[in-house]
Amino acid sequence: MGLERAQADTLTVEGWLRRSFDGIGLTLDLLQERQRLLDTNPTGVAAIEDILRGFVDTRRFDIILALAIDPDGFSRWSNQANITTIDLRDRPHFQVHLQGHGGTYVADPVMGRLSRQMAVIFSRRINHPDGSFAGVAVVTLDPMVLSRQLAELMPPAEVRVGVFRLGGEIILRNLWAQQPPTGPQFPTPSITAAFAQNDIKPFRTVSAVNGQSVLVGLRRMDDLSLGLAVAHDLDFTTRRAIELRSLVWFVDAVVAALLLAGLAVTSTLRARRVAQALARASAERERETATAQAEDDRMLDTVAGVF
Protein backbone atom coordinates (compact mmCIF):
# COMPACT_ATOMS: atom_id res chain seq x y z
CA MET A 1 0.00 0.00 0.00
CA GLY A 2 2.82 2.44 0.89
CA LEU A 3 4.69 1.92 -2.39
CA GLU A 4 1.49 2.36 -4.39
CA ARG A 5 0.76 5.61 -2.57
CA ALA A 6 4.29 6.94 -3.20
CA GLN A 7 3.96 6.14 -6.90
CA ALA A 8 0.48 7.72 -7.07
CA ASP A 9 1.90 10.90 -5.53
CA THR A 10 4.36 11.19 -8.44
CA LEU A 11 1.37 11.55 -10.79
CA THR A 12 -0.04 14.30 -8.57
CA VAL A 13 3.28 16.17 -8.64
CA GLU A 14 3.66 15.80 -12.42
CA GLY A 15 0.15 17.16 -12.98
CA TRP A 16 0.92 20.17 -10.78
CA LEU A 17 4.23 20.79 -12.57
CA ARG A 18 2.66 20.67 -16.02
CA ARG A 19 -0.04 23.15 -14.98
CA SER A 20 2.64 25.42 -13.51
CA PHE A 21 4.71 25.15 -16.70
CA ASP A 22 1.84 26.03 -19.05
CA GLY A 23 2.75 29.71 -18.81
CA ILE A 24 6.38 28.94 -19.62
CA GLY A 25 5.47 27.29 -22.91
CA LEU A 26 3.22 30.22 -23.83
CA THR A 27 5.98 32.74 -23.07
CA LEU A 28 8.52 30.80 -25.15
CA ASP A 29 5.98 30.70 -28.00
CA LEU A 30 5.58 34.48 -27.79
CA LEU A 31 9.36 34.98 -27.92
CA GLN A 32 9.46 32.80 -31.04
CA GLU A 33 6.58 34.83 -32.53
CA ARG A 34 8.48 38.03 -31.76
CA GLN A 35 11.37 36.76 -33.88
CA ARG A 36 8.99 35.79 -36.71
CA LEU A 37 7.57 39.30 -36.72
CA LEU A 38 11.07 40.81 -36.71
CA ASP A 39 11.72 38.82 -39.87
CA THR A 40 8.39 39.41 -41.62
CA ASN A 41 6.40 42.28 -40.06
CA PRO A 42 8.36 44.45 -37.61
CA THR A 43 5.37 46.72 -36.93
CA GLY A 44 3.76 43.95 -34.87
CA VAL A 45 6.73 43.42 -32.55
CA ALA A 46 5.74 46.12 -30.03
CA ALA A 47 2.40 44.42 -29.27
CA ILE A 48 4.09 41.08 -28.56
CA GLU A 49 6.64 42.77 -26.32
CA ASP A 50 3.87 44.51 -24.35
CA ILE A 51 2.18 41.14 -23.72
CA LEU A 52 5.46 39.60 -22.57
CA ARG A 53 6.10 42.50 -20.19
CA GLY A 54 2.59 42.13 -18.80
CA PHE A 55 3.17 38.45 -18.05
CA VAL A 56 6.40 39.05 -16.19
CA ASP A 57 5.77 42.41 -14.52
CA THR A 58 2.66 41.05 -12.79
CA ARG A 59 4.61 37.87 -11.87
CA ARG A 60 2.06 35.90 -13.83
CA PHE A 61 3.02 32.21 -13.90
CA ASP A 62 5.77 33.15 -11.36
CA ILE A 63 8.12 34.14 -14.19
CA ILE A 64 11.09 36.33 -13.22
CA LEU A 65 12.46 37.15 -16.66
CA ALA A 66 11.67 36.67 -20.35
CA LEU A 67 14.75 37.07 -22.56
CA ALA A 68 15.78 36.77 -26.18
CA ILE A 69 19.44 35.91 -26.87
CA ASP A 70 20.76 36.74 -30.33
CA PRO A 71 22.58 34.13 -32.49
CA ASP A 72 25.95 35.45 -31.30
CA GLY A 73 25.11 34.67 -27.65
CA PHE A 74 24.36 38.16 -26.34
CA SER A 75 21.20 39.33 -24.57
CA ARG A 76 19.10 41.24 -27.10
CA TRP A 77 15.68 41.88 -25.51
CA SER A 78 13.99 41.28 -22.16
CA ASN A 79 11.00 42.50 -20.22
CA GLN A 80 13.33 44.70 -18.19
CA ALA A 81 13.24 48.32 -19.35
CA ASN A 82 16.97 49.07 -19.25
CA ILE A 83 18.51 45.85 -20.47
CA THR A 84 22.26 45.78 -20.89
CA THR A 85 24.05 43.61 -23.40
CA ILE A 86 25.43 40.61 -21.53
CA ASP A 87 27.61 37.83 -22.90
CA LEU A 88 25.76 34.53 -22.44
CA ARG A 89 27.76 32.42 -24.88
CA ASP A 90 29.06 30.17 -22.10
CA ARG A 91 25.67 29.36 -20.67
CA PRO A 92 24.50 25.75 -21.22
CA HIS A 93 21.05 26.95 -22.26
CA PHE A 94 22.64 28.84 -25.17
CA GLN A 95 25.16 26.20 -26.16
CA VAL A 96 22.67 23.33 -26.28
CA HIS A 97 20.44 25.18 -28.78
CA LEU A 98 23.39 26.46 -30.80
CA GLN A 99 24.28 22.81 -31.29
CA GLY A 100 20.80 22.05 -32.61
CA HIS A 101 18.54 21.10 -29.67
CA GLY A 102 15.06 22.12 -30.77
CA GLY A 103 12.90 21.25 -27.76
CA THR A 104 12.52 22.87 -24.35
CA TYR A 105 15.68 22.67 -22.27
CA VAL A 106 15.78 22.97 -18.46
CA ALA A 107 19.13 24.07 -17.04
CA ASP A 108 20.58 23.51 -13.58
CA PRO A 109 19.72 26.33 -11.15
CA VAL A 110 22.09 29.28 -11.59
CA MET A 111 22.50 32.85 -10.42
CA GLY A 112 20.94 34.91 -13.20
CA ARG A 113 23.22 37.52 -14.74
CA LEU A 114 20.27 39.76 -15.54
CA SER A 115 17.85 38.91 -12.71
CA ARG A 116 20.68 38.62 -10.14
CA GLN A 117 18.87 35.90 -8.22
CA MET A 118 18.78 32.11 -8.23
CA ALA A 119 16.69 30.93 -11.14
CA VAL A 120 15.46 27.81 -12.89
CA ILE A 121 15.96 28.42 -16.62
CA PHE A 122 13.74 27.11 -19.41
CA SER A 123 14.91 27.76 -22.96
CA ARG A 124 14.04 26.98 -26.56
CA ARG A 125 15.78 27.51 -29.90
CA ILE A 126 14.52 30.44 -32.02
CA ASN A 127 14.65 30.01 -35.79
CA HIS A 128 14.36 32.30 -38.80
CA PRO A 129 11.58 31.41 -41.29
CA ASP A 130 14.13 29.40 -43.30
CA GLY A 131 14.97 27.29 -40.21
CA SER A 132 18.38 28.85 -39.56
CA PHE A 133 19.46 29.72 -36.01
CA ALA A 134 18.12 33.08 -34.80
CA GLY A 135 18.97 32.79 -31.11
CA VAL A 136 17.44 31.43 -27.91
CA ALA A 137 14.24 32.21 -26.04
CA VAL A 138 14.69 32.11 -22.26
CA VAL A 139 12.24 32.11 -19.37
CA THR A 140 13.43 32.04 -15.75
CA LEU A 141 11.46 31.07 -12.63
CA ASP A 142 12.08 31.57 -8.93
CA PRO A 143 12.70 28.08 -7.43
CA MET A 144 11.75 29.26 -3.94
CA VAL A 145 8.29 30.38 -5.05
CA LEU A 146 7.73 27.02 -6.72
CA SER A 147 9.07 25.21 -3.65
CA ARG A 148 6.57 26.96 -1.39
CA GLN A 149 3.74 26.03 -3.76
CA LEU A 150 4.97 22.44 -3.85
CA ALA A 151 5.13 22.36 -0.04
CA GLU A 152 1.45 23.35 0.07
CA LEU A 153 0.64 20.47 -2.26
CA MET A 154 2.95 17.97 -0.53
CA PRO A 155 3.72 19.06 3.08
CA PRO A 156 7.36 18.30 4.01
CA ALA A 157 6.24 16.85 7.35
CA GLU A 158 4.55 14.02 5.46
CA VAL A 159 6.55 13.52 2.28
CA ARG A 160 9.73 14.71 0.55
CA VAL A 161 9.62 15.64 -3.12
CA GLY A 162 12.51 16.40 -5.47
CA VAL A 163 12.40 17.47 -9.13
CA PHE A 164 15.72 17.24 -10.94
CA ARG A 165 17.35 17.28 -14.32
CA LEU A 166 18.14 13.80 -15.60
CA GLY A 167 21.88 13.62 -15.07
CA GLY A 168 21.92 16.98 -13.32
CA GLU A 169 21.01 18.86 -10.18
CA ILE A 170 17.80 19.11 -8.22
CA ILE A 171 15.87 22.15 -9.44
CA LEU A 172 13.01 22.04 -6.97
CA ARG A 173 12.27 20.53 -3.53
CA ASN A 174 9.35 20.97 -1.16
CA LEU A 175 11.91 21.08 1.70
CA TRP A 176 13.30 24.35 0.31
CA ALA A 177 10.16 26.06 1.60
CA GLN A 178 11.63 25.52 5.11
CA GLN A 179 15.36 25.52 4.42
CA PRO A 180 16.65 27.25 1.25
CA PRO A 181 19.58 25.52 -0.48
CA THR A 182 23.09 26.77 0.17
CA GLY A 183 24.73 24.98 -2.77
CA PRO A 184 24.18 22.43 -5.55
CA GLN A 185 22.02 19.47 -4.61
CA PHE A 186 21.76 16.14 -6.38
CA PRO A 187 19.43 13.13 -6.17
CA THR A 188 20.50 10.30 -3.87
CA PRO A 189 22.69 7.58 -5.45
CA SER A 190 19.83 5.04 -5.35
CA ILE A 191 17.52 7.40 -7.25
CA THR A 192 20.26 8.35 -9.72
CA ALA A 193 21.01 4.67 -10.35
CA ALA A 194 17.34 3.85 -10.89
CA PHE A 195 17.01 6.52 -13.58
CA ALA A 196 20.34 5.61 -15.17
CA GLN A 197 19.14 2.01 -15.52
CA ASN A 198 15.66 3.15 -16.60
CA ASP A 199 14.29 1.14 -13.68
CA ILE A 200 11.40 3.51 -13.04
CA LYS A 201 9.36 1.74 -10.38
CA PRO A 202 8.73 2.34 -6.67
CA PHE A 203 11.22 0.86 -4.24
CA ARG A 204 12.14 0.72 -0.57
CA THR A 205 15.46 2.04 0.69
CA VAL A 206 17.14 3.50 3.78
CA SER A 207 17.54 7.24 4.31
CA ALA A 208 21.13 8.43 4.49
CA VAL A 209 19.97 11.27 6.75
CA ASN A 210 18.22 9.44 9.60
CA GLY A 211 18.65 5.73 8.77
CA GLN A 212 14.89 5.21 8.52
CA SER A 213 13.22 3.10 5.87
CA VAL A 214 11.63 5.16 3.10
CA LEU A 215 9.25 4.29 0.27
CA VAL A 216 10.16 6.01 -2.99
CA GLY A 217 8.05 6.62 -6.09
CA LEU A 218 9.71 7.71 -9.36
CA ARG A 219 8.56 9.30 -12.60
CA ARG A 220 10.17 10.61 -15.80
CA MET A 221 9.14 13.70 -17.76
CA ASP A 222 11.10 12.89 -20.91
CA ASP A 223 9.90 15.88 -22.94
CA LEU A 224 11.66 18.13 -20.41
CA SER A 225 14.45 15.69 -19.46
CA LEU A 226 13.25 15.85 -15.86
CA GLY A 227 12.81 13.22 -13.19
CA LEU A 228 10.88 13.42 -9.98
CA ALA A 229 10.96 11.40 -6.79
CA VAL A 230 8.49 11.22 -3.92
CA ALA A 231 9.66 9.67 -0.64
CA HIS A 232 7.54 8.62 2.33
CA ASP A 233 9.03 7.57 5.67
CA LEU A 234 7.92 4.01 6.30
CA ASP A 235 7.23 4.84 9.96
CA PHE A 236 4.99 7.73 8.90
CA THR A 237 3.21 5.58 6.31
CA THR A 238 2.69 2.79 8.85
CA ARG A 239 1.48 5.24 11.48
CA ARG A 240 -0.92 6.81 8.97
CA ALA A 241 -2.23 3.36 8.01
CA ILE A 242 -2.79 2.51 11.70
CA GLU A 243 -4.56 5.82 12.24
CA LEU A 244 -6.71 5.19 9.17
CA ARG A 245 -7.49 1.65 10.32
CA SER A 246 -8.38 2.94 13.78
CA LEU A 247 -10.62 5.54 12.20
CA VAL A 248 -12.32 2.84 10.13
CA TRP A 249 -12.83 0.72 13.25
CA PHE A 250 -14.25 3.73 15.11
CA VAL A 251 -16.63 4.53 12.24
CA ASP A 252 -17.68 0.87 12.09
CA ALA A 253 -18.35 0.88 15.82
CA VAL A 254 -20.40 4.08 15.58
CA VAL A 255 -22.39 2.67 12.68
CA ALA A 256 -23.00 -0.57 14.58
CA ALA A 257 -24.11 1.36 17.66
CA LEU A 258 -26.47 3.45 15.57
CA LEU A 259 -27.89 0.33 13.95
CA LEU A 260 -28.43 -1.29 17.36
CA ALA A 261 -29.99 1.89 18.67
CA GLY A 262 -32.17 1.99 15.58
CA LEU A 263 -33.22 -1.61 16.16
CA ALA A 264 -33.98 -0.86 19.79
CA VAL A 265 -36.05 2.16 18.84
CA THR A 266 -37.79 0.15 16.14
CA SER A 267 -38.54 -2.65 18.60
CA THR A 268 -39.86 -0.17 21.16
CA LEU A 269 -42.06 1.52 18.58
CA ARG A 270 -43.32 -1.84 17.34
CA ALA A 271 -44.14 -2.97 20.88
CA ARG A 272 -45.91 0.34 21.53
CA ARG A 273 -47.95 -0.02 18.35
CA VAL A 274 -48.89 -3.62 19.30
CA ALA A 275 -49.94 -2.52 22.78
CA GLN A 276 -52.01 0.31 21.33
CA ALA A 277 -53.65 -2.09 18.88
CA LEU A 278 -54.46 -4.53 21.71
CA ALA A 279 -55.88 -1.71 23.80
CA ARG A 280 -58.05 -0.56 20.89
CA ALA A 281 -59.22 -4.17 20.30
CA SER A 282 -60.02 -4.61 24.01
CA ALA A 283 -61.97 -1.35 24.10
CA GLU A 284 -63.82 -2.36 20.96
CA ARG A 285 -64.71 -5.73 22.51
CA GLU A 286 -65.91 -4.03 25.68
CA ARG A 287 -68.10 -1.67 23.61
CA GLU A 288 -69.48 -4.61 21.66
CA THR A 289 -70.14 -6.52 24.89
CA ALA A 290 -71.86 -3.52 26.43
CA THR A 291 -74.01 -3.06 23.35
CA ALA A 292 -74.95 -6.72 23.28
CA GLN A 293 -75.77 -6.64 26.99
CA ALA A 294 -77.93 -3.59 26.49
CA GLU A 295 -79.76 -5.31 23.64
CA ASP A 296 -80.28 -8.42 25.78
CA ASP A 297 -81.69 -6.31 28.61
CA ARG A 298 -84.07 -4.55 26.21
CA MET A 299 -85.28 -7.86 24.86
CA LEU A 300 -85.76 -9.23 28.37
CA ASP A 301 -87.78 -6.15 29.31
CA THR A 302 -89.93 -6.64 26.21
CA VAL A 303 -90.51 -10.30 27.04
CA ALA A 304 -91.36 -9.41 30.64
CA GLY A 305 -93.98 -6.96 29.39
CA VAL A 306 -95.60 -9.59 27.29
CA PHE A 307 -95.94 -12.08 30.12
Side-chain angles (χ1 to χ4, degrees):
M1 178 179 177
L3 286 175
E4 288 81 357
R5 181 188 173 192
Q7 191 64 21
D9 282 348
T10 65
L11 290 172
T12 301
V13 174
E14 180 183 6
W16 170 79
L17 282 172
R18 292 199 180 278
R19 289 191 297 272
S20 300
F21 292 166
D22 281 347
I24 298 171
L26 175 59
T27 306
L28 293 172
D29 290 342
L30 288 172
L31 287 166
Q32 174 69 61
E33 179 64 11
R34 175 184 174 275
Q35 181 60 50
R36 188 189 69 80
L37 291 173
L38 282 172
D39 290 329
T40 61
N41 181 21
T43 58
V45 172
I48 292 290
E49 292 177 348
D50 285 343
I51 293 173
L52 285 163
R53 289 191 185 94
F55 278 171
V56 182
D57 293 347
T58 60
R59 294 305 297 268
R60 192 170 181 180
F61 308 118
D62 300 312
I63 294 172
I64 301 171
L65 180 73
L67 171 70
I69 304 175
D70 68 20
D72 296 321
F74 292 87
S75 56
R76 186 57 56 197
W77 179 89
S78 87
N79 60 288
Q80 295 181 354
N82 299 315
I83 183 175
T84 57
T85 300
I86 295 178
D87 186 352
L88 300 169
R89 289 176 294 178
D90 62 325
R91 289 297 205 190
H93 57 273
F94 176 77
Q95 287 292 326
V96 70
H97 296 297
L98 177 64
Q99 295 166 13
H101 189 286
T104 301
Y105 176 78
V106 185
D108 286 333
V110 294
M111 179 64 69
R113 291 175 183 167
L114 284 172
S115 65
R116 294 182 175 83
Q117 66 181 90
M118 287 300 297
V120 176
I121 296 177
F122 291 74
S123 61
R124 188 184 298 165
R125 178 185 171 102
I126 298 176
N127 292 326
H128 291 296
D130 62 2
S132 60
F133 183 55
V136 176
V138 175
V139 173
T140 66
L141 277 73
D142 185 342
M144 296 310 301
V145 171
L146 291 175
S147 294
R148 287 191 291 271
Q149 294 174 356
L150 180 57
E152 293 175 0
L153 177 71
M154 294 282 173
E158 301 179 7
V159 60
R160 292 181 297 283
V161 181
V163 182
F164 49 90
R165 287 187 58 245
L166 295 177
E169 295 181 27
I170 293 176
I171 65 170
L172 180 63
R173 293 188 72 186
N174 62 338
L175 287 175
W176 288 351
Q178 299 176 341
Q179 184 179 359
T182 57
Q185 298 189 29
F186 297 88
T188 62
S190 58
I191 292 175
T192 300
F195 277 95
Q197 299 167 12
N198 201 29
D199 188 20
I200 312 303
K201 61 184 180 183
F203 64 94
R204 178 174 173 173
T205 187
V206 176
S207 170
V209 177
N210 54 25
Q212 294 181 345
S213 294
V214 293
L215 307 175
V216 181
L218 304 175
R219 191 157 189 84
R220 294 177 70 105
M221 299 173 65
D222 287 314
D223 56 325
L224 296 172
S225 296
L226 294 179
L228 59 91
V230 175
H232 290 268
D233 284 337
L234 181 59
D235 289 345
F236 177 85
T237 303
T238 303
R239 188 165 61 253
R240 176 62 60 86
I242 293 173
E243 291 172 355
L244 181 60
R245 191 177 300 115
S246 299
L247 178 61
V248 170
W249 288 341
F250 174 75
V251 171
D252 286 345
V254 170
V255 171
L258 290 174
L259 287 174
L260 290 173
L263 289 173
V265 170
T266 301
S267 299
T268 300
L269 291 175
R270 185 180 295 112
R272 184 176 298 171
R273 286 196 295 268
V274 170
Q276 290 172 346
L278 290 172
R280 286 194 299 269
S282 177
E284 184 65 23
R285 283 195 300 273
E286 289 177 0
R287 283 194 299 271
E288 291 175 353
T289 300
T291 302
Q293 184 64 45
E295 182 63 20
D296 290 344
D297 292 342
R298 186 184 63 77
M299 291 180 65
L300 288 172
D301 290 341
T302 301
V303 171
V306 173
F307 291 98

